[in-house]
Amino acid sequence: MLLELNVKDIALVRKASVSFDGGLNILTGETGTGKSVIIDSAMLALGAKARSDVIRRGAEYAYAELVFGIEGELRGKLESIGIFPDENGLLVISRKILPGRSISRVNDETVTLSRLREIAGLLLDVYGQNEYYTLKDREKHLSILDEYMGAGTAGLKQSTAEAYTFYRKAAEKARGFSMDEQERARRIDLLNFEWNEINEADLKDGEEEELSQRFRKLNHARAILEYLNGAHQALEGCDTGRAVSELERAMHFDEGLAQIHAELLDAQSILDSVLSGISAYADELEVDDGVLAEIEERLDLIRRLELKYGQTIPDVLRYRDETASKLQEMQEYEEHKRLAEKELADAEGRLSELCAKLSRARREGAERLCAAVMDELRDLGFEKPQITMRFEKKAPSADGYDTAEFYAALNPGEDLKPLSEVASGGELSRMMLAVKTILAETDEMPTLIFDEIDTGISGRTAQKVAEKLDVIGMKHQVICVSHLPQIAAMSDVHFVIRKTEKDGRNVTEIERLDEAGSCAELARLLGGAQITKAVAENAAELRELAKAGKRKRRKT
């Protein structure tokens, strides 16, 4: 979950640090204090586009930092994409925004914005007005249904995806048998030519290296002989026999020369061996232009084949074997074509069967989901909402052959129409809340952030929205910006955002409230500028009622 948000020089915020808890974290404040700047800062840290005015006037750069606590399955998901929390399970994401550029880091390692957004997709979801409007995108509706169904269709979806992959391969293979007789004859001629060209060369693994070594030796044979003769003549000039004889005479007078005599004998033996070796090498050395030409011609053939069919002799031989297989396939074309078409038909049948099975499961799940959404919407102030999901059939894919779209009539007497045509911004926010309440059990996202969830609501509906947020907060960390006392009263942690003047400039500050401070802020939300005793008592009562409701929900 999100443990901490640190902000510096973003908009009106000079410097702020907010420590969040699990459950329902509520941020309130007067209009114009910059409540949404906290949400905006979190989104900036996670790769959102930075406006030109995001850097606080007079500052060199803006900075946002998020500290996440990572545990359980989430750690495995992050590690699978190469992101490793530290030994304490912490993941620190920061972004420094300068004029014209920004620098993003994850645990002090610089990352691209696209990489940052990939990581963010595993850590939190942010719901503001723009995100609520994603409900208008019919492409999102099927994914909502699949998320609702969860493990119930996970195996079937995986089988469908695997069947589609097999079908694609079968279709590609079958397309390879579309050539006519004339084209097939040309193909056979080419394959025969390639196979014969390689096979007749009778290549041997390691042959090129051996021939290259011989070519170098023969190509420089005359120079080698010249150098060897010079060496032989120089060594022959060393009269070691006379030296041995003279030293033996000296030994008659001093036996201490025996060691030197022995070493001289060794030297004479080595010299004789070297002279014999030079003579033998020179005798065996070929100086034959015909042999050299043959080797050069063979090397030219090998390298020509490597240029056409592979970088090494093993590559060329492998190409020959593959060519033989293709040639056999061409010669048995009709039989292979029949088998490929049968394989395609079987794959298509298997895919259609799984798509139909998945579609039936989805339609049954859609009835349950729509019924659950209608129950939630009634709780959220809609008198007689009607929600249904309509399906259309598309070409099969890895996701099946369904397209789905929510249809809604949110007010009595209205006809069912696509959700995108009937819902206002406030209605969409409540619709999203209803969906998130239903998905609270299956949604794996650890942190959910709601901005402007309370747009256009009050009274009993506001109370119901607060209760839904609390339900979601029982399974997830929820961070919510609100201006309604009913929602603020439901908080597990309450923050107030204030705008003050310092050094002649407006600045936004954030304070975590204790119980007394929370009741005081509730009184402000209830009573406005003048807080009477009755307003304060109402705030305390509202808070106690909210806490009682929270306790009751946690027992059920």
mmCIF file of all heavy atoms in Angstrom, residues 33-74:
data_model
loop_
_atom_site.group_PDB
_atom_site.id
_atom_site.type_symbol
_atom_site.label_atom_id
_atom_site.label_comp_id
_atom_site.label_asym_id
_atom_site.label_seq_id
_atom_site.Cartn_x
_atom_site.Cartn_y
_atom_site.Cartn_z
ATOM 1 N N THR A 33 -8.426 25.369 -1.638
ATOM 2 C CA THR A 33 -7.201 25.107 -0.873
ATOM 3 C C THR A 33 -6.235 24.203 -1.637
ATOM 4 O O THR A 33 -5.099 24.017 -1.216
ATOM 5 C CB THR A 33 -7.541 24.440 0.477
ATOM 6 O OG1 THR A 33 -8.300 23.249 0.231
ATOM 7 C CG2 THR A 33 -8.334 25.396 1.358
ATOM 8 N N GLY A 34 -6.700 23.635 -2.729
ATOM 9 C CA GLY A 34 -5.805 22.774 -3.510
ATOM 10 C C GLY A 34 -5.838 21.324 -3.066
ATOM 11 O O GLY A 34 -4.813 20.648 -3.058
ATOM 12 N N LYS A 35 -7.055 20.842 -2.690
ATOM 13 C CA LYS A 35 -7.168 19.453 -2.220
ATOM 14 C C LYS A 35 -6.670 18.466 -3.272
ATOM 15 O O LYS A 35 -5.977 17.503 -2.961
ATOM 16 C CB LYS A 35 -8.627 19.141 -1.850
ATOM 17 C CG LYS A 35 -9.161 19.931 -0.675
ATOM 18 C CD LYS A 35 -10.523 19.441 -0.243
ATOM 19 C CE LYS A 35 -11.605 19.669 -1.288
ATOM 20 N NZ LYS A 35 -11.842 21.092 -1.557
ATOM 21 N N SER A 36 -7.016 18.722 -4.527
ATOM 22 C CA SER A 36 -6.665 17.767 -5.572
ATOM 23 C C SER A 36 -5.179 17.775 -5.905
ATOM 24 O O SER A 36 -4.708 16.889 -6.620
ATOM 25 C CB SER A 36 -7.482 18.058 -6.842
ATOM 26 O OG SER A 36 -8.840 17.754 -6.633
ATOM 27 N N VAL A 37 -4.434 18.773 -5.391
ATOM 28 C CA VAL A 37 -3.005 18.811 -5.695
ATOM 29 C C VAL A 37 -2.306 17.592 -5.108
ATOM 30 O O VAL A 37 -1.288 17.121 -5.636
ATOM 31 C CB VAL A 37 -2.362 20.115 -5.188
ATOM 32 C CG1 VAL A 37 -2.186 20.105 -3.683
ATOM 33 C CG2 VAL A 37 -1.001 20.333 -5.846
ATOM 34 N N ILE A 38 -2.848 17.040 -4.026
ATOM 35 C CA ILE A 38 -2.261 15.840 -3.433
ATOM 36 C C ILE A 38 -2.416 14.655 -4.389
ATOM 37 O O ILE A 38 -1.466 13.903 -4.648
ATOM 38 C CB ILE A 38 -2.917 15.535 -2.073
ATOM 39 C CG1 ILE A 38 -2.734 16.722 -1.128
ATOM 40 C CG2 ILE A 38 -2.344 14.266 -1.473
ATOM 41 C CD1 ILE A 38 -1.290 17.113 -0.907
ATOM 42 N N ILE A 39 -3.622 14.517 -4.934
ATOM 43 C CA ILE A 39 -3.858 13.444 -5.904
ATOM 44 C C ILE A 39 -3.018 13.690 -7.155
ATOM 45 O O ILE A 39 -2.389 12.775 -7.697
ATOM 46 C CB ILE A 39 -5.351 13.359 -6.278
ATOM 47 C CG1 ILE A 39 -6.209 13.262 -5.013
ATOM 48 C CG2 ILE A 39 -5.600 12.194 -7.206
ATOM 49 C CD1 ILE A 39 -5.916 12.089 -4.132
ATOM 50 N N ASP A 40 -3.007 14.942 -7.599
ATOM 51 C CA ASP A 40 -2.220 15.279 -8.787
ATOM 52 C C ASP A 40 -0.739 14.969 -8.582
ATOM 53 O O ASP A 40 -0.060 14.499 -9.508
ATOM 54 C CB ASP A 40 -2.389 16.761 -9.143
ATOM 55 C CG ASP A 40 -3.805 17.086 -9.593
ATOM 56 O OD1 ASP A 40 -4.538 16.152 -9.945
ATOM 57 O OD2 ASP A 40 -4.176 18.280 -9.575
ATOM 58 N N SER A 41 -0.229 15.218 -7.387
ATOM 59 C CA SER A 41 1.180 14.954 -7.100
ATOM 60 C C SER A 41 1.480 13.461 -7.177
ATOM 61 O O SER A 41 2.523 13.047 -7.709
ATOM 62 C CB SER A 41 1.543 15.486 -5.709
ATOM 63 O OG SER A 41 1.396 16.892 -5.650
ATOM 64 N N ALA A 42 0.569 12.659 -6.645
ATOM 65 C CA ALA A 42 0.753 11.205 -6.728
ATOM 66 C C ALA A 42 0.764 10.747 -8.183
ATOM 67 O O ALA A 42 1.587 9.918 -8.588
ATOM 68 C CB ALA A 42 -0.356 10.493 -5.956
ATOM 69 N N MET A 43 -0.146 11.300 -8.974
ATOM 70 C CA MET A 43 -0.211 10.924 -10.386
ATOM 71 C C MET A 43 1.033 11.391 -11.141
ATOM 72 O O MET A 43 1.535 10.693 -12.030
ATOM 73 C CB MET A 43 -1.483 11.489 -11.015
ATOM 74 C CG MET A 43 -2.764 10.887 -10.435
ATOM 75 S SD MET A 43 -4.285 11.600 -11.114
ATOM 76 C CE MET A 43 -4.235 10.981 -12.798
ATOM 77 N N LEU A 44 1.541 12.574 -10.790
ATOM 78 C CA LEU A 44 2.781 13.055 -11.417
ATOM 79 C C LEU A 44 3.932 12.112 -11.119
ATOM 80 O O LEU A 44 4.738 11.778 -11.997
ATOM 81 C CB LEU A 44 3.112 14.465 -10.913
ATOM 82 C CG LEU A 44 2.325 15.623 -11.515
ATOM 83 C CD1 LEU A 44 2.621 16.906 -10.751
ATOM 84 C CD2 LEU A 44 2.666 15.802 -12.999
ATOM 85 N N ALA A 45 4.029 11.676 -9.863
ATOM 86 C CA ALA A 45 5.106 10.753 -9.492
ATOM 87 C C ALA A 45 5.028 9.463 -10.281
ATOM 88 O O ALA A 45 6.054 8.828 -10.563
ATOM 89 C CB ALA A 45 5.043 10.461 -7.991
ATOM 90 N N LEU A 46 3.819 9.088 -10.678
ATOM 91 C CA LEU A 46 3.624 7.823 -11.397
ATOM 92 C C LEU A 46 3.572 8.009 -12.906
ATOM 93 O O LEU A 46 3.149 7.112 -13.628
ATOM 94 C CB LEU A 46 2.351 7.144 -10.900
ATOM 95 C CG LEU A 46 2.422 6.687 -9.433
ATOM 96 C CD1 LEU A 46 1.068 6.213 -8.948
ATOM 97 C CD2 LEU A 46 3.461 5.591 -9.265
ATOM 98 N N GLY A 47 3.988 9.181 -13.402
ATOM 99 C CA GLY A 47 4.170 9.340 -14.838
ATOM 100 C C GLY A 47 3.132 10.145 -15.568
ATOM 101 O O GLY A 47 3.169 10.227 -16.800
ATOM 102 N N ALA A 48 2.191 10.788 -14.849
ATOM 103 C CA ALA A 48 1.193 11.614 -15.534
ATOM 104 C C ALA A 48 1.874 12.809 -16.200
ATOM 105 O O ALA A 48 2.946 13.260 -15.787
ATOM 106 C CB ALA A 48 0.135 12.102 -14.541
ATOM 107 N N LYS A 49 1.238 13.316 -17.251
ATOM 108 C CA LYS A 49 1.799 14.458 -17.972
ATOM 109 C C LYS A 49 1.824 15.684 -17.069
ATOM 110 O O LYS A 49 0.855 16.011 -16.394
ATOM 111 C CB LYS A 49 0.966 14.740 -19.223
ATOM 112 C CG LYS A 49 1.556 15.832 -20.103
ATOM 113 C CD LYS A 49 0.725 16.013 -21.375
ATOM 114 C CE LYS A 49 1.318 17.108 -22.252
ATOM 115 N NZ LYS A 49 0.517 17.306 -23.483
ATOM 116 N N ALA A 50 2.959 16.371 -17.049
ATOM 117 C CA ALA A 50 3.122 17.553 -16.196
ATOM 118 C C ALA A 50 2.739 18.822 -16.960
ATOM 119 O O ALA A 50 3.219 19.056 -18.065
ATOM 120 C CB ALA A 50 4.566 17.650 -15.712
ATOM 121 N N ARG A 51 1.853 19.642 -16.359
ATOM 122 C CA ARG A 51 1.497 20.914 -16.974
ATOM 123 C C ARG A 51 2.674 21.885 -16.864
ATOM 124 O O ARG A 51 3.562 21.743 -16.010
ATOM 125 C CB ARG A 51 0.269 21.520 -16.299
ATOM 126 C CG ARG A 51 -0.964 20.647 -16.333
ATOM 127 C CD ARG A 51 -2.162 21.452 -15.832
ATOM 128 N NE ARG A 51 -1.860 22.155 -14.591
ATOM 129 C CZ ARG A 51 -2.016 21.629 -13.377
ATOM 130 N NH1 ARG A 51 -2.442 20.389 -13.246
ATOM 131 N NH2 ARG A 51 -1.724 22.352 -12.297
ATOM 132 N N SER A 52 2.642 22.909 -17.687
ATOM 133 C CA SER A 52 3.744 23.884 -17.694
ATOM 134 C C SER A 52 3.816 24.675 -16.392
ATOM 135 O O SER A 52 4.880 25.165 -16.015
ATOM 136 C CB SER A 52 3.580 24.849 -18.877
ATOM 137 O OG SER A 52 2.331 25.527 -18.793
ATOM 138 N N ASP A 53 2.665 24.789 -15.666
ATOM 139 C CA ASP A 53 2.652 25.588 -14.445
ATOM 140 C C ASP A 53 2.775 24.736 -13.185
ATOM 141 O O ASP A 53 2.505 25.208 -12.074
ATOM 142 C CB ASP A 53 1.373 26.421 -14.367
ATOM 143 C CG ASP A 53 0.117 25.538 -14.357
ATOM 144 O OD1 ASP A 53 0.238 24.327 -14.645
ATOM 145 O OD2 ASP A 53 -0.975 26.072 -14.068
ATOM 146 N N VAL A 54 3.198 23.474 -13.322
ATOM 147 C CA VAL A 54 3.248 22.593 -12.162
ATOM 148 C C VAL A 54 4.344 23.002 -11.188
ATOM 149 O O VAL A 54 4.230 22.809 -9.980
ATOM 150 C CB VAL A 54 3.418 21.116 -12.597
ATOM 151 C CG1 VAL A 54 4.822 20.861 -13.151
ATOM 152 C CG2 VAL A 54 3.142 20.182 -11.433
ATOM 153 N N ILE A 55 5.430 23.582 -11.679
ATOM 154 C CA ILE A 55 6.535 24.000 -10.802
ATOM 155 C C ILE A 55 6.140 25.282 -10.081
ATOM 156 O O ILE A 55 5.736 26.264 -10.703
ATOM 157 C CB ILE A 55 7.829 24.209 -11.612
ATOM 158 C CG1 ILE A 55 8.207 22.929 -12.367
ATOM 159 C CG2 ILE A 55 8.974 24.635 -10.697
ATOM 160 C CD1 ILE A 55 9.390 23.094 -13.301
ATOM 161 N N ARG A 56 6.252 25.249 -8.768
ATOM 162 C CA ARG A 56 5.889 26.422 -7.962
ATOM 163 C C ARG A 56 6.701 27.642 -8.387
ATOM 164 O O ARG A 56 7.905 27.543 -8.632
ATOM 165 C CB ARG A 56 6.139 26.106 -6.479
ATOM 166 C CG ARG A 56 5.669 27.170 -5.514
ATOM 167 C CD ARG A 56 5.739 26.612 -4.091
ATOM 168 N NE ARG A 56 5.371 27.616 -3.107
ATOM 169 C CZ ARG A 56 6.241 28.407 -2.498
ATOM 170 N NH1 ARG A 56 7.535 28.310 -2.763
ATOM 171 N NH2 ARG A 56 5.826 29.285 -1.605
ATOM 172 N N ARG A 57 6.036 28.780 -8.491
ATOM 173 C CA ARG A 57 6.697 30.000 -8.960
ATOM 174 C C ARG A 57 7.921 30.317 -8.101
ATOM 175 O O ARG A 57 7.862 30.348 -6.875
ATOM 176 C CB ARG A 57 5.704 31.173 -8.941
ATOM 177 C CG ARG A 57 6.272 32.473 -9.499
ATOM 178 C CD ARG A 57 5.148 33.471 -9.760
ATOM 179 N NE ARG A 57 4.332 33.702 -8.576
ATOM 180 C CZ ARG A 57 4.622 34.594 -7.622
ATOM 181 N NH1 ARG A 57 5.736 35.322 -7.712
ATOM 182 N NH2 ARG A 57 3.819 34.752 -6.593
ATOM 183 N N GLY A 58 9.055 30.499 -8.771
ATOM 184 C CA GLY A 58 10.297 30.820 -8.078
ATOM 185 C C GLY A 58 11.156 29.611 -7.764
ATOM 186 O O GLY A 58 12.321 29.767 -7.374
ATOM 187 N N ALA A 59 10.608 28.400 -7.943
ATOM 188 C CA ALA A 59 11.372 27.178 -7.658
ATOM 189 C C ALA A 59 12.073 26.690 -8.930
ATOM 190 O O ALA A 59 11.621 26.960 -10.048
ATOM 191 C CB ALA A 59 10.457 26.086 -7.114
ATOM 192 N N GLU A 60 13.158 25.945 -8.744
ATOM 193 C CA GLU A 60 13.900 25.409 -9.891
ATOM 194 C C GLU A 60 13.247 24.165 -10.461
ATOM 195 O O GLU A 60 13.342 23.897 -11.661
ATOM 196 C CB GLU A 60 15.344 25.082 -9.474
ATOM 197 C CG GLU A 60 16.171 26.291 -9.077
ATOM 198 C CD GLU A 60 17.594 25.904 -8.696
ATOM 199 O OE1 GLU A 60 17.949 24.714 -8.856
ATOM 200 O OE2 GLU A 60 18.334 26.778 -8.232
ATOM 201 N N TYR A 61 12.601 23.397 -9.593
ATOM 202 C CA TYR A 61 11.987 22.153 -10.051
ATOM 203 C C TYR A 61 10.879 21.759 -9.077
ATOM 204 O O TYR A 61 10.796 22.267 -7.950
ATOM 205 C CB TYR A 61 13.016 21.026 -10.146
ATOM 206 C CG TYR A 61 13.706 20.691 -8.840
ATOM 207 C CD1 TYR A 61 13.145 19.787 -7.934
ATOM 208 C CD2 TYR A 61 14.922 21.287 -8.500
ATOM 209 C CE1 TYR A 61 13.760 19.476 -6.738
ATOM 210 C CE2 TYR A 61 15.555 20.989 -7.298
ATOM 211 C CZ TYR A 61 14.962 20.082 -6.420
ATOM 212 O OH TYR A 61 15.579 19.794 -5.230
ATOM 213 N N ALA A 62 10.010 20.844 -9.530
ATOM 214 C CA ALA A 62 8.981 20.250 -8.671
ATOM 215 C C ALA A 62 9.388 18.809 -8.386
ATOM 216 O O ALA A 62 10.026 18.155 -9.222
ATOM 217 C CB ALA A 62 7.621 20.296 -9.365
ATOM 218 N N TYR A 63 8.989 18.315 -7.212
ATOM 219 C CA TYR A 63 9.425 16.971 -6.814
ATOM 220 C C TYR A 63 8.273 16.255 -6.124
ATOM 221 O O TYR A 63 7.595 16.813 -5.253
ATOM 222 C CB TYR A 63 10.613 17.074 -5.875
ATOM 223 C CG TYR A 63 11.155 15.747 -5.395
ATOM 224 C CD1 TYR A 63 11.999 14.988 -6.192
ATOM 225 C CD2 TYR A 63 10.823 15.260 -4.137
ATOM 226 C CE1 TYR A 63 12.503 13.771 -5.747
ATOM 227 C CE2 TYR A 63 11.315 14.044 -3.683
ATOM 228 C CZ TYR A 63 12.158 13.310 -4.493
ATOM 229 O OH TYR A 63 12.653 12.100 -4.056
ATOM 230 N N ALA A 64 8.041 15.005 -6.524
ATOM 231 C CA ALA A 64 7.023 14.170 -5.876
ATOM 232 C C ALA A 64 7.629 12.794 -5.627
ATOM 233 O O ALA A 64 8.302 12.234 -6.490
ATOM 234 C CB ALA A 64 5.775 14.053 -6.742
ATOM 235 N N GLU A 65 7.358 12.262 -4.441
ATOM 236 C CA GLU A 65 7.922 10.967 -4.058
ATOM 237 C C GLU A 65 6.852 10.132 -3.379
ATOM 238 O O GLU A 65 6.121 10.614 -2.506
ATOM 239 C CB GLU A 65 9.110 11.172 -3.115
ATOM 240 C CG GLU A 65 9.741 9.876 -2.615
ATOM 241 C CD GLU A 65 10.811 10.143 -1.588
ATOM 242 O OE1 GLU A 65 10.470 10.279 -0.381
ATOM 243 O OE2 GLU A 65 11.993 10.241 -1.980
ATOM 244 N N LEU A 66 6.745 8.875 -3.767
ATOM 245 C CA LEU A 66 5.807 7.936 -3.167
ATOM 246 C C LEU A 66 6.591 6.785 -2.558
ATOM 247 O O LEU A 66 7.503 6.245 -3.188
ATOM 248 C CB LEU A 66 4.840 7.385 -4.216
ATOM 249 C CG LEU A 66 3.992 8.394 -4.992
ATOM 250 C CD1 LEU A 66 3.186 7.681 -6.066
ATOM 251 C CD2 LEU A 66 3.063 9.149 -4.054
ATOM 252 N N VAL A 67 6.209 6.402 -1.347
ATOM 253 C CA VAL A 67 6.837 5.262 -0.682
ATOM 254 C C VAL A 67 5.765 4.189 -0.485
ATOM 255 O O VAL A 67 4.748 4.435 0.178
ATOM 256 C CB VAL A 67 7.439 5.658 0.680
ATOM 257 C CG1 VAL A 67 8.113 4.441 1.324
ATOM 258 C CG2 VAL A 67 8.438 6.792 0.517
ATOM 259 N N PHE A 68 5.994 3.012 -1.093
ATOM 260 C CA PHE A 68 5.035 1.916 -1.008
ATOM 261 C C PHE A 68 5.599 0.804 -0.125
ATOM 262 O O PHE A 68 6.800 0.514 -0.152
ATOM 263 C CB PHE A 68 4.740 1.338 -2.391
ATOM 264 C CG PHE A 68 3.959 2.242 -3.286
ATOM 265 C CD1 PHE A 68 4.613 3.137 -4.125
ATOM 266 C CD2 PHE A 68 2.576 2.203 -3.301
ATOM 267 C CE1 PHE A 68 3.897 3.977 -4.967
ATOM 268 C CE2 PHE A 68 1.851 3.043 -4.129
ATOM 269 C CZ PHE A 68 2.507 3.930 -4.957
ATOM 270 N N GLY A 69 4.703 0.177 0.623
ATOM 271 C CA GLY A 69 5.046 -1.053 1.328
ATOM 272 C C GLY A 69 4.579 -2.230 0.488
ATOM 273 O O GLY A 69 3.396 -2.329 0.146
ATOM 274 N N ILE A 70 5.506 -3.129 0.157
ATOM 275 C CA ILE A 70 5.203 -4.227 -0.770
ATOM 276 C C ILE A 70 5.252 -5.550 -0.022
ATOM 277 O O ILE A 70 6.224 -5.857 0.670
ATOM 278 C CB ILE A 70 6.222 -4.259 -1.933
ATOM 279 C CG1 ILE A 70 6.320 -2.886 -2.611
ATOM 280 C CG2 ILE A 70 5.835 -5.343 -2.927
ATOM 281 C CD1 ILE A 70 5.042 -2.380 -3.212
ATOM 282 N N GLU A 71 4.197 -6.355 -0.184
ATOM 283 C CA GLU A 71 4.173 -7.667 0.457
ATOM 284 C C GLU A 71 3.295 -8.613 -0.340
ATOM 285 O O GLU A 71 2.586 -8.209 -1.264
ATOM 286 C CB GLU A 71 3.665 -7.551 1.902
ATOM 287 C CG GLU A 71 2.296 -6.904 1.997
ATOM 288 C CD GLU A 71 1.866 -6.658 3.448
ATOM 289 O OE1 GLU A 71 2.732 -6.661 4.350
ATOM 290 O OE2 GLU A 71 0.656 -6.482 3.660
ATOM 291 N N GLY A 72 3.369 -9.897 0.019
ATOM 292 C CA GLY A 72 2.503 -10.902 -0.588
ATOM 293 C C GLY A 72 2.726 -11.077 -2.082
ATOM 294 O O GLY A 72 3.846 -10.976 -2.591
ATOM 295 N N GLU A 73 1.628 -11.334 -2.792
ATOM 296 C CA GLU A 73 1.700 -11.616 -4.228
ATOM 297 C C GLU A 73 2.194 -10.420 -5.026
ATOM 298 O O GLU A 73 2.780 -10.587 -6.093
ATOM 299 C CB GLU A 73 0.321 -12.046 -4.745
ATOM 300 C CG GLU A 73 -0.159 -13.383 -4.190
ATOM 301 C CD GLU A 73 -1.498 -13.795 -4.762
ATOM 302 O OE1 GLU A 73 -2.011 -13.057 -5.647
ATOM 303 O OE2 GLU A 73 -2.036 -14.839 -4.353
ATOM 304 N N LEU A 74 1.955 -9.213 -4.503
ATOM 305 C CA LEU A 74 2.382 -8.016 -5.225
ATOM 306 C C LEU A 74 3.898 -8.001 -5.414
ATOM 307 O O LEU A 74 4.397 -7.583 -6.460
ATOM 308 C CB LEU A 74 1.933 -6.759 -4.472
ATOM 309 C CG LEU A 74 2.329 -5.416 -5.087
ATOM 310 C CD1 LEU A 74 1.803 -5.295 -6.516
ATOM 311 C CD2 LEU A 74 1.830 -4.268 -4.234
#
